[in-house]
């Protein structure tokens, strides 16, 4: 058996099986779950409801490990960003965005190191996919963020700074669905971290065949990175559109399990000057959303070195927003958060590179 297996990231069933394999009853898994995910404990010796002999045995075979922060930055607006380093040295970024005026906020989690997709406006898209993150690394980002705010044991819902999760960091979560699903199920478990599915949003660039499973298995809120209203423009700025064009994407949204007027799908729309920001685009967006329980998030383009786009003037964005709102859809203009530390939407990236395969070397 691997002498340093991490217990974080195992599903409840996997943890129970792991304990069974060393001759322990299911209640051991239950105890461990509580210590790890409710109390945030990482040291077996402090798990006081577990007998000393058993603590020592666990310590020989397992660890309760988090990714390590290799850099931590705080923005002038309170946004915080961590560069986390995983066991093999690969790195990804995580961001905490506190709500202004309120004692709560969202942790923005990465699902991959880099991304296979190459959306032209996105900094992550300039980094090739290095690898998928494991369930342990995905939930570990959230737990490490909670460590920073000393938010253990799990406070009641309502009394938490880290109240929401958004799968909107580096990578395409629906291209790493199994690990994302395991991690989010751990986050939602009421005996542990206890974040309701209503406080979790998963953002996809439009991986159509995976959307229904996301709704059925996880029931989390869906955000779709739309960004263009014609296939011609979307093909150009989001190459995934060539695989899953707009008509298919909108149908998958219509079919998304659990979407209703009370739980609307969020359509993210990055405002790119002269590309997708005209009044005609706004009207076409309204036509596209017809009949869907939808809301729109207008994201002013966040610049990064080498980007080929510009952010439109405020008046242009406002005009776009007004057209969509007049048609009955909520369409707030997101104020950029954490731009000064490169923590805003689309600005995340790490230096990790894929090892050349022996054949390439
Ligand atoms: N890969 C998933 C999750 C990332 S979410 C997805 O694409 O949906 C990050 C959000 O920020 C996405 O909506 C993305 O399209 C948007 N984004 C990317 N680059 C941006 C930029 N430079 N400025 C503003 N938003 C950007
Ligand atoms: Fe990947 Fe999303 Fe960035 Fe596109 S916008 S490159 S899918 S992280």
């Amino acid at each position: 058996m691997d002498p340093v297996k991490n217990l974080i990231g195992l599903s409840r069933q996997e943890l129970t099986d792991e304990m069974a394999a060393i001759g322990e009853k299911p209640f051991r898994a239950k105890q461990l779950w509580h210590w790890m995910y409710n109390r945030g404990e990482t040291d077996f010796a402090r798990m006081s409801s577990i007998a000393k002999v058993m603590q020592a045995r666990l310590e020989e075979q397992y660890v309760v490990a988090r990714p390590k922060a290799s850099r931590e930055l705080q923005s002038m607006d309170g946004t915080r960003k961590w560069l986390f380093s995983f066991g093999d040295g690969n790195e990804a970024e995580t961001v905490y965005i506190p709500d202004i005026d309120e004692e709560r906020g969202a942790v923005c989690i990465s699902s991959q190191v880099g991304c296979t997709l190459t959306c032209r406006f996105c900094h992550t898209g300039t980094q090739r996919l290095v690898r998928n993150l494991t369930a342990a690394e995905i939930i570990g980002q959230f737990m490490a963020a909670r460590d920073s705010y000393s938010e253990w044991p799990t406070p009641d819902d309502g009394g938490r700074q880290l109240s929401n999760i958004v799968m909107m960091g580096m990578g395409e979560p629906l291209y790493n669905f199994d690990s994302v699903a395991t991690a989010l199920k751990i986050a939602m478990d009421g005996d542990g971290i206890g974040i309701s599915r209503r406080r979790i949003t998963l953002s996809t660039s439009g991986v159509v065949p995976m959307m229904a499973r996301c709704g059925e298995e996880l029931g989390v809120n869906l955000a779709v990175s739309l960004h263009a209203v014609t296939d011609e423009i979307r093909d150009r700025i989001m190459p995934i559109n060539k695989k899953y064009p707009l008509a298919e994407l909108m149908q998958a949204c219509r079919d998304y399990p659990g979407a209703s007027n009370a739980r609307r799908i969020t359509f993210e729309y990055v405002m790119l000057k002269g590309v997708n920001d005209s009044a005609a685009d706004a009207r076409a967006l309204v036509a596209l959303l017809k009949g869907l329980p939808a809301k729109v998030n207008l994201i002013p383009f966040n610049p990064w070195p080498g980007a080929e786009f510009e952010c439109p003037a405020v008046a242009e964005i406002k005009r776009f927003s007004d057209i969509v709102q007049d048609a009955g859809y909520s369409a707030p203009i997101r104020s950029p958060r954490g731009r000064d530390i490169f923590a805003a939407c689309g600005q995340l990236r790490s230096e990790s590179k894929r090892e050349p395969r022996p054949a390439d070397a």
Side-chain angles (χ1 to χ4, degrees):
M1 187 179 296
D2 185 349
V4 284
K5 186 166 185 172
N6 191 5
L7 290 182
I8 296 287
L10 300 181
S11 68
R12 246 176 195 266
Q13 188 57 50
E14 286 165 343
L15 185 62
T16 309
D17 295 346
E18 186 66 38
M19 288 302 107
I22 61 163
E24 287 296 307
K25 297 244 154 52
F27 86 90
R28 189 68 73 202
K30 228 176 157 220
Q31 279 180 321
L32 280 167
W33 192 274
H34 179 84
W35 281 110
M36 295 192 299
Y37 296 118
N38 177 278
R39 306 290 287 269
E41 188 53 70
T42 56
D43 184 353
F44 293 111
R46 281 202 294 263
M47 299 185 179
S48 54
S49 60
I50 299 177
K52 284 262 178 305
V53 206
M54 188 60 207
Q55 289 177 354
R57 215 176 140 207
L58 289 169
E59 215 162 83
E60 271 167 30
Q61 304 190 29
Y62 304 108
V63 288
V64 177
R66 312 262 207 271
K68 285 186 186 48
S70 40
R71 193 177 62 215
E72 202 173 326
L73 296 169
Q74 174 121 2
S75 158
M76 306 207 340
D77 68 20
T79 300
R80 197 182 285 199
K81 181 172 88 165
W82 298 265
L83 177 68
F84 283 121
S85 166
F86 305 106
D88 62 355
N90 278 312
E91 295 179 315
E93 295 194 305
T94 306
V95 178
Y96 171 63
I97 311 124
D99 272 22
I100 309 270
D101 304 331
E102 279 180 85
E103 285 287 288
R104 58 195 183 96
V107 181
C108 176
I109 296 179
S110 291
S111 55
Q112 301 181 308
V113 177
C115 190
T116 47
L117 300 168
T118 50
C119 305
R120 297 270 290 278
F121 43 80
C122 175
H123 202 199
T124 310
T126 65
Q127 180 180 9
R128 281 180 66 192
L129 178 76
V130 179
R131 66 169 174 84
N132 279 336
L133 292 175
T134 63
E137 291 163 344
I138 295 168
I139 193 66
Q141 294 169 59
F142 180 79
M143 298 176 80
R146 244 196 195 177
D147 292 344
S148 297
Y149 288 83
S150 305
E151 215 158 66
W152 301 107
T154 294
D156 289 340
D157 191 12
R160 301 176 187 167
Q161 289 193 79
L162 280 59
S163 58
N164 292 57
I165 290 179
V166 292
M167 292 302 306
M168 296 190 181
M170 294 165 56
E172 168 50 58
L174 294 189
Y175 276 157
N176 184 18
F177 184 75
D178 290 341
S179 297
V180 167
T182 303
L184 291 183
K185 284 178 191 164
I186 293 173
M188 290 189 271
D189 190 300
D191 295 332
I193 292 171
I195 296 203
S196 141
R197 64 192 171 87
R198 292 170 191 281
R199 294 194 181 277
I200 300 179
T201 302
L202 182 146
S203 175
T204 181
S205 58
V207 184
V208 166
M210 294 305 294
M211 286 166 60
R213 251 186 95 189
C214 175
E216 277 154 19
E217 275 183 42
L218 302 175
V220 295
N221 303 316
L222 184 70
V224 173
S225 295
L226 191 65
H227 305 326
V229 289
T230 64
D231 281 319
E232 192 225 320
I233 301 178
R234 202 163 186 270
D235 278 352
R236 188 147 55 85
I237 61 174
M238 299 185 73
I240 194 177
N241 194 67
K242 293 183 194 144
K243 204 162 179 187
Y244 307 116
L246 274 175
E248 287 178 34
L249 176 58
M250 298 317 288
Q251 190 55 46
C253 291
R254 281 194 188 86
D255 297 340
Y256 188 70
S260 66
N261 272 329
R263 295 192 77 201
R264 287 172 291 170
I265 296 176
T266 302
F267 289 86
E268 294 157 283
Y269 198 93
V270 59
M271 299 296 296
L272 306 170
K273 185 176 173 181
V275 176
N276 65 359
D277 61 343
S278 70
D281 288 314
R283 286 190 292 268
L285 174 59
V286 169
L288 205 58
L289 298 180
K290 195 160 190 288
L292 260 167
K295 54 186 172 182
V296 177
N297 262 344
L298 297 175
I299 318 173
F301 170 68
N302 292 308
W304 41 270
E308 60 188 292
F309 300 101
E310 280 175 64
C311 185
V314 179
E316 299 288 315
I317 304 181
K318 178 88 175 50
R319 177 187 63 172
F320 194 103
S321 166
D322 287 346
I323 293 172
V324 180
Q325 307 225 68
D326 287 348
Y329 295 98
S330 143
I333 303 166
R334 290 280 147 208
S335 21
R337 300 292 303 277
R339 266 188 184 173
D340 55 340
I341 55 165
F342 260 70
C345 298
Q347 292 186 315
L348 306 186
R349 199 181 187 281
S350 75
E351 294 303 320
S352 300
K353 289 193 176 57
R354 184 148 49 181
E355 293 280 323
R357 271 172 284 187
D360 306 339

